Amino acid sequence: MMVKIRKMRPLKKAIQELESTGVLPLNVQDEVLAADISVNEQILKQVFENCSDIVFRPICANRQTKMLLIYIDGLVDTKIVEQVVLKPMMFEGMPDGLKQADSIGEIIQDQLVAITQVKAVSKVREVSDAVLKSNLAVLTDGENQALLADIKGFEKRSIEEPSAELSVRGPRDGFTETLRVNTSLVRRRIRSPRLKMEPYSIGDLSQTDIAISYIEGIASNTVLEEVRQRVRRIQIDGILESAFIEEFIEDLPYSPFPQIQNTERPDVVCASLLEGKVAIFVDNTPFVLIVPMTFWTGVQAAEDYYERSIFTSFIRFVRFTLINISLFLPSLYVAVTTYHPQLIPTNLLISIAAAREGIPFPTVVEALMMEFLFEGLREAGVRLPKAVGSAVSIVGALVIGQASVQAGIISAPMVIIVATTGISSFSFPRYNLGTAYRVLRFPMLLLSGILGLYGVAFGALAMLIHLTNIRSFGVPYLSPVAPQIPRNLKDVLMRAHRWKMTNRPVMISGEEKMRIPKGQQPGPKQGDQTE
């Protein structure tokens, strides 16, 4: 077997400068690899200086060809390195019957390395970037190319049920912190070549892998191109979580309402893709971003689509009622008791007045104190360990509430109002939309304490105007209610039967608007009736 060796030394000048000054040139990573393996090793060791987790493993293949393996300890499967690379090269030697090859690298790439993804690169930067992305780099003496083998082997979390989006009925698997595991969970559900996964890398230092996923023909080209442009223009040193991406691509960063949906559930992502939305997968986080987002998406749970439509419609009515209670109940109580007591029935008014006798604070101050205390208990319950978090929040609420009433600082009706508001706030299926309502509750209280019911009406009108002006990647936030699209109203306040929802959302989807053919209403066939 004849192997042609090309002798090239593009890094010779960099080596000479390194030996004379002790400093590596800044542009050395843009240079082409040298044919001398010792030159490449010296340069790469200087690039990875003081990186104790970078392993340089020299070997001798077939007792005559020098090779160098470079990888990160802990991010590469060392068993595969030993069985597939080291053992064949060092002990078994070149197998008989190999075809004519131009280089040792070609032999390794095509005939020896039994790894699914192997490619050749020729620049120092390509080698260093690949090693940092958990690849194995193989350099051969006499070759000005390096082989990169994808043999990732880092520790990863197993697939578990999402803790923030629980459901009684539905899939139990959730996303993990590994990008390819997450994309595979979606690919298992949508087995079509039209499901696309466009790769990107963001972050000058982190080089975080992300994937933009959509279904070709169903996703809107306008929305898709807008997502691409917003992702490409991100310039940052590192991406640690999908929230970093979210803050860079949302339409109105100062709005309390979220314009990008995040989820840990693969079924939610698949359902969104089938509607024409675009999903953004980010490595090292289990949360996937979905755009565009509407207000109605934030108040719909995944379980709504796994139960019968009659039950789901009833649950949605209860949920919408609780959502409104969580925002307006404290402010309405303050406005009515302070400025409009004539609206309260006489017996109830007497009861409230008797409970408030001796209370030193106005009603609005009372409400703000209790709301702030409730938010503090909720935050404490989240930050404390799970074993004591819920117990502390419950005991704290009971003890402080009861002690405040007995001490005459807070009235009993206010404790009831705040407790009802807190319970109602837990009905939000999406945590980020619930957070927006929690924030808005305080300005609504201030408006009601200053202007009474006029303040409540003013706050509600201002919020409604703001909601109608929000756009998420060009899609109105309140669509299909404002602007009204009658054929898409079947899945807003109530959920129609699945066989009635024949069309995808008009404002979101692309060319294929039809989802289900008409005429699939179930019923007994003629002639099936028994006599």
Side-chain angles (χ1 to χ4, degrees):
M1 178 186 64
M2 299 296 294
V3 177
K4 299 178 182 179
I5 299 178
R6 294 171 291 177
K7 296 184 178 180
M8 297 179 62
R9 296 181 179 269
L11 297 179
K12 184 177 180 180
K13 185 176 180 181
I15 289 293
Q16 292 175 353
E17 186 173 346
L18 176 64
E19 292 175 348
S20 59
T21 63
V23 179
L24 195 67
L26 294 176
N27 61 344
V28 69
Q29 293 200 51
D30 296 325
E31 296 288 348
V32 179
L33 291 169
D36 189 347
I37 193 173
S38 60
V39 174
N40 296 331
E41 181 179 3
Q42 189 173 357
I43 289 294
L44 288 169
K45 281 187 176 180
Q46 188 68 21
V47 171
F48 293 116
E49 185 180 9
N50 295 329
C51 298
S52 59
D53 56 338
I54 306 294
V55 178
F56 288 82
R57 178 71 163 86
I59 63 173
C60 187
N62 204 22
R63 299 181 181 180
Q64 58 182 2
T65 305
K66 294 181 180 179
M67 301 178 65
L68 179 66
L69 308 183
I70 307 174
Y71 60 92
I72 298 180
D73 187 18
L75 295 183
V76 169
D77 194 333
T78 55
K79 292 184 179 179
I80 296 180
V81 174
E82 294 173 359
Q83 296 174 1
V84 179
V85 181
L86 294 179
K87 186 178 179 181
M89 299 296 178
M90 297 179 63
F91 304 109
E92 297 178 359
M94 301 294 181
D96 298 331
L98 290 181
K99 65 179 182 179
Q100 186 72 19
D102 294 333
S103 65
I104 295 293
E106 183 179 342
I107 297 173
I108 300 171
Q109 181 177 2
D110 297 338
Q111 301 170 38
L112 286 181
V113 181
I115 301 171
T116 55
Q117 298 183 17
V118 180
K119 67 175 182 179
V121 297
S122 58
K123 290 187 177 181
V124 176
R125 183 178 301 278
E126 293 174 332
V127 175
S128 61
D129 290 347
V131 170
L132 292 173
K133 291 183 178 181
S134 309
N135 288 278
L136 169 70
V138 182
L139 286 77
T140 307
D141 194 19
E143 296 291 332
N144 65 331
Q145 287 187 337
L147 293 180
L148 305 177
D150 186 4
I151 49 176
K152 298 180 178 67
F154 48 83
E155 295 292 331
K156 54 189 177 182
R157 183 169 62 92
S158 60
I159 297 175
E160 301 172 351
E161 183 178 4
S163 58
E165 298 178 75
L166 300 175
S167 63
V168 177
R169 181 177 179 179
R172 294 287 189 263
D173 55 343
F175 291 126
T176 68
E177 287 75 16
T178 307
L179 177 65
R180 281 297 160 232
V181 173
N182 296 343
T183 56
S184 66
L185 291 175
V186 174
R187 184 69 71 176
R188 283 178 56 193
R189 290 170 167 84
I190 304 178
R191 302 175 182 178
S192 171
R194 294 170 60 186
L195 175 61
K196 307 299 182 182
M197 300 280 184
E198 295 184 2
Y200 292 86
S201 182
I202 301 179
D204 296 334
L205 299 179
S206 65
Q207 291 292 309
T208 305
D209 293 325
I210 74 171
I212 297 178
S213 178
Y214 60 95
I215 299 180
E216 190 177 27
I218 296 180
S220 171
N221 292 329
T222 304
V223 173
L224 181 58
E225 189 58 35
E226 184 67 22
V227 173
R228 290 169 178 162
Q229 291 181 3
R230 295 189 189 185
V231 169
R232 289 193 191 114
R233 72 186 183 198
I234 297 176
Q235 296 182 2
I236 191 174
D237 55 353
I239 298 292
L240 304 182
E241 215 274 339
S242 58
F244 287 53
I245 305 289
E246 181 177 356
E247 291 192 33
F248 275 101
I249 65 175
E250 62 183 351
D251 291 70
L252 297 175
Y254 295 104
S255 173
F257 293 96
Q259 299 121 57
I260 299 176
Q261 180 183 350
N262 62 76
T263 181
E264 291 183 87
R265 296 181 64 99
D267 56 329
V268 173
V269 173
C270 292
S272 301
L273 292 174
L274 292 172
E275 286 185 348
K277 297 182 180 180
V278 180
I280 303 175
F281 294 84
V282 182
D283 199 13
N284 301 317
T285 175
F287 289 92
V288 175
L289 305 179
I290 302 174
V291 295
M293 177 185 177
T294 63
F295 175 82
W296 313 108
T297 303
V299 296
Q300 293 171 354
E303 195 174 359
D304 291 351
Y305 301 93
Y306 301 133
E307 297 289 352
R308 299 179 68 243
S309 61
I310 298 176
F311 175 74
T312 297
S313 299
F314 171 73
I315 292 299
R316 281 190 180 179
F317 172 77
V318 174
R319 188 183 300 144
F320 289 144
T321 304
L322 292 175
I323 287 173
N324 290 324
I325 287 175
S326 69
L327 178 63
F328 293 109
L329 182 61
S331 55
L332 285 174
Y333 176 78
V334 170
V336 171
T337 56
T338 304
Y339 295 97
H340 313 281
Q342 67 274 13
L343 298 178
I344 306 176
T346 304
N347 293 335
L348 180 59
L349 180 61
I350 295 173
S351 176
I352 293 175
R356 283 194 47 78
E357 186 178 1
I359 302 299
F361 303 108
T363 309
V364 62
V365 176
E366 229 186 320
L368 287 173
M369 290 173 55
M370 289 300 296
E371 286 291 344
F372 186 81
L373 179 61
F374 183 83
E375 293 297 329
L377 289 172
R378 190 203 310 242
E379 189 67 16
V382 172
R383 303 302 164 208
L384 288 172
K386 292 183 178 180
V388 297
S390 59
V392 168
S393 59
I394 294 173
V395 172
L398 292 174
V399 172
I400 294 177
Q402 182 67 22
S404 300
V405 172
Q406 290 181 352
I409 300 175
I410 303 295
S411 63
M414 181 58 69
V415 175
I416 297 174
I417 293 295
V418 173
T420 305
T421 304
I423 294 173
S424 301
S425 66
F426 291 124
S427 61
F428 283 92
R430 308 293 174 195
Y431 177 79
N432 50 4
L433 185 60
T435 304
Y437 270 64
R438 288 164 56 187
V439 172
L440 291 172
R441 194 182 304 147
F442 289 92
M444 290 293 292
L445 274 173
L446 292 175
L447 287 172
S448 64
I450 297 173
L451 302 174
L453 288 179
Y454 295 104
V456 177
F458 176 78
L461 183 61
M463 187 177 68
L464 184 60
I465 293 173
H466 177 67
L467 287 172
T468 55
N469 283 279
I470 296 178
R471 296 290 186 275
S472 177
F473 290 81
V475 177
Y477 201 58
L478 291 181
S479 64
V481 175
Q484 190 175 95
I485 305 173
R487 60 178 176 175
N488 290 149
L489 293 175
K490 300 175 182 178
D491 189 23
V492 180
L493 298 177
M494 297 187 297
R495 184 179 78 81
H497 296 284
R498 194 169 300 277
W499 41 267
K500 282 188 177 181
M501 296 188 292
T502 57
N503 297 310
R504 294 186 174 89
V506 175
M507 303 294 294
I508 297 174
S509 59
E511 299 175 358
E512 298 185 16
K513 303 294 185 183
M514 183 68 67
R515 171 188 285 174
I516 302 173
K518 296 182 179 180
Q520 297 194 64
Q521 179 176 353
K525 298 180 181 179
Q526 293 183 357
D528 285 352
Q529 298 179 358
T530 58
E531 297 181 358

